[in-house]
Amino acid sequence: MRRILVTGANGYIGARLSLYLAQQGNKVTALCYPTIPHDESWISLMSNVVIGDIRDIDFIKKMAEDQYDILIHLVSLDHHQSNQGELSFVSSVNVIPTWNLLDVFSKKDLKQFLYFSTIHVYGALQNEIVTEETQPNPTNPYALTHLLSEQICNFYHKNKDVNCSIIRLSNSYGAPIFMENNCWWLVINDLCRMVYLQKEIVLQSDGTPTRDFIHGWDVCKAVETILNDNTKKENNIYHISSGKTYTIEELAKKIRDVYANRYHVDVPIKIAPKTGKKINAYTIDNTKLVSLNYNAEWDLERGIHDLFEYLEKNES
């Protein structure tokens, strides 16, 4: 039975991942901030639930007294906070804790460290197949700070006994585990809620931007696959993606069709005027993950139905 510490365990991804890993029989310590969730069923599955600020080095040292096999680091400011915030504050959340966690826990016989980075480290994607060998080209502080944390992970991966894995995550989606999770700005979540409440889909763009979408439960399964492999590779980067790219217009039509099939109501899609901009039909290659016998279980249609089910249950 593995002892796993998850930082950001009350966040959108962290809550689901902690739940998944606990259900797989692991002893999960959920590190939350600034409060503990009120979901007793979720809490009951955790080995321990702790409140703490990972910017506090003394708190990190105290946590390390309980030796863990695996540490999964999820804490980060979002795009807006990272790109608009004071640099000292942004780095105090997005970068310095990664260094402190690795420095402290690597001295406590930590076996595996998983860092959640982002596909945004590549910058603007063109018509290309993006692999883990593709060179990063960050274009904003959000991407830059994640790349800096990746470099810290690489240092410890090469120079210490801990096996550090870097996860570059594409666009995850799905119903939140906790009501308070801030996830309705995510494009699939947003459009599903929009059509459910407003009976229309209004796009803020001309529909040509492209994205790779992967359901939250498939993200969890991918993490489990990486943890189970646990071989120290020279290239320790993994894409967690679907390997499929959709335009926002294609996504809107898929959501409209699922809605019509489910509720027998046709809804309009309102799209901003076309700009004539070329569509970049890139692919975020996930061959490395698939080579570890990973296979996704959630397609877009199933994920959209699941979001509508959540909205039905929580309509108030």
Side-chain angles (χ1 to χ4, degrees), residues 37 41 43-44 58 63 111 141 143 153 167 182 185 193 209 217 220 225 231 283 310:
S41 63
I43 291 173
S44 68
D58 291 329
M63 288 297 298
K111 296 178 178 63
C153 290
I167 292 171
N182 178 21
W185 58 273
R193 186 173 68 164
W217 288 122
C220 295
T225 300
T231 55
T283 298
Y310 176 87

Side-chain angles (χ1 to χ4, degrees), residues 92-213:
S92 76
V93 178
N94 289 8
V95 181
I96 301 302
T98 308
W99 199 340
N100 284 334
L101 286 167
L102 275 166
D103 185 61
V104 172
F105 280 85
S106 65
K107 298 171 184 175
K108 297 292 183 177
D109 297 323
L110 184 72
K111 296 178 178 63
Q112 291 176 268
F113 184 94
L114 266 69
Y115 172 66
F116 264 74
S117 186
T118 172
I119 288 296
H120 288 268
V121 298
Y122 294 116
L125 298 175
Q126 306 300 319
N127 291 321
E128 57 186 320
I129 297 175
V130 184
T131 73
E132 287 88 350
E133 302 288 346
T134 300
Q135 288 300 306
N137 183 30
T139 56
N140 55 57
Y142 178 76
L144 176 60
T145 52
H146 280 79
L147 185 59
L148 290 172
S149 276
E150 286 189 14
Q151 293 173 336
I152 294 168
C153 290
N154 284 332
F155 173 83
Y156 281 86
H157 184 71
K158 294 175 181 177
N159 295 287
K160 305 294 180 180
D161 290 334
V162 61
N163 182 7
C164 296
S165 297
I166 295 165
I167 292 171
R168 289 179 178 166
L169 180 64
S170 63
N171 298 270
S172 66
Y173 73 100
I177 300 299
F178 305 135
M179 292 285 289
E180 60 267 27
N181 286 146
N182 178 21
C183 67
W184 297 107
W185 58 273
L186 298 170
V187 62
I188 294 184
N189 293 12
D190 177 39
L191 295 182
C192 284
R193 186 173 68 164
M194 182 187 299
V195 70
Y196 187 80
L197 296 177
Q198 302 175 19
K199 307 300 182 283
E200 65 177 359
I201 296 175
V202 180
L203 302 185
Q204 300 301 311
S205 71
D206 65 357
T208 59
T210 50
R211 302 284 187 277
D212 176 299
F213 300 103

Side-chain angles (χ1 to χ4, degrees), residues 2-6 21 26-29 68 70 72 227:
R2 298 173 298 190
R3 302 185 73 244
I4 302 176
L5 174 62
V6 179
L21 292 172
N26 300 287
K27 294 185 66 175
V28 177
T29 293
Y68 295 94
I70 298 166
I72 301 175
L227 290 177

Side-chain angles (χ1 to χ4, degrees), residues 255-269:
I255 292 172
R256 177 198 61 191
D257 293 346
V258 172
Y259 184 88
N261 178 264
R262 186 179 182 92
Y263 301 107
H264 309 292
V265 176
D266 292 323
V267 297
I269 299 176

